[in-house]
Structures are given as C-alpha cells and as structure tokens.
Amino acid sequence: MKLQEHQQWLVDFYKKRNWYQYSPFVHLNFLTEEVGELSRAVRAIEIGRDHPGETQKNQAELDYNLKEELADVMDQLLVISSVYGIKPEELLQQSEDKLKKRFKKE
C-alpha cells in the first residue's frame, strides 16, 4: 500500500467515525498520546518494564507492540498532514531535501 492511499483510507475512516472534524490541536493531542505509547514500547524492549501489574512479554509480542505504536504515530502524522492538504510524499521529500542541504559537506 502506498502512503497516499493509506492517508486517504485514514481520512475516510476518521470521517465515518466523526473524528476527522476535530481541530488540528485535538489531533496533535492524539499524536502526543501515541508518542507516549511508542516511548513505552521502546522502553519495554530496551530496559524492560518492571511493573507488578504487567505480565512479561516475549520478544515477538514486544516487536508486534513496537510496530503497532510506530504505525499509530505515523497514522496521526498522516491525519494531521491531510488536514493541511499535505501529501505524504511531500513530507518525505521535505525531509530528504532538508537533510541533504544541512549535511551537504558530508
């Protein structure tokens, strides 16, 4: 699946649930929540989770959770960018152009 197709799928999905009409500030809050969950997933892999209320996860579960949280963060970025009419490919190009310019001497 291409990023732009996924972005459109997300927009349609969010519109069906009446989530898309929220302001970019609300979507940014969703992104912040997802970044926190991603942080927790990375922590679980890198240093573990010493929490008595949680069961120990095996490596496959940790990897699955990491992918899930990375996808959630990506989805929120795609939703926010769609609100502003920005295509995913534009984001990728912007990133590459910025880094090439910044580190052109390397």
Side-chain angles (χ1 to χ4, degrees):
M1 177 178 287
K2 295 186 179 195
L3 278 174
Q4 193 165 345
E5 291 171 358
H6 183 66
Q7 184 185 45
Q8 187 57 56
W9 181 88
L10 282 169
V11 168
D12 295 341
F13 181 86
Y14 270 58
K15 284 181 178 179
K16 285 179 188 173
R17 283 154 185 76
N18 296 317
W19 298 341
Y20 191 76
Q21 83 281 359
Y22 295 132
S23 78
F25 287 116
V26 172
H27 289 290
L28 188 57
N29 189 14
F30 294 162
L31 174 60
T32 301
E33 179 180 341
E34 296 301 345
V35 168
E37 292 173 9
L38 174 59
S39 176
R40 186 175 182 172
V42 169
R43 176 186 171 182
I45 291 170
E46 294 299 322
I47 63 173
R49 295 271 310 156
D50 186 14
H51 191 286
E54 295 179 9
T55 58
Q56 186 78 19
K57 293 182 180 178
N58 63 38
Q59 191 61 47
E61 292 169 319
L62 292 170
D63 292 344
Y64 180 86
N65 186 244
L66 176 63
K67 290 176 190 176
E68 182 177 45
E69 298 308 337
L70 283 165
D72 288 347
V73 168
M74 181 183 68
D75 285 353
Q76 290 306 315
L77 290 172
L78 290 173
V79 168
I80 292 169
S81 65
S82 75
V83 169
Y84 292 104
I86 300 169
K87 296 177 183 175
E89 291 77 10
E90 293 176 77
L91 298 174
L92 298 175
Q93 191 63 56
Q94 184 81 19
S95 171
E96 191 173 316
D97 290 349
K98 177 184 79 175
L99 291 172
K100 283 179 179 178
K101 183 179 177 183
R102 184 177 292 168
F103 297 99
K104 62 185 171 192
K105 293 181 183 180
E106 291 182 15

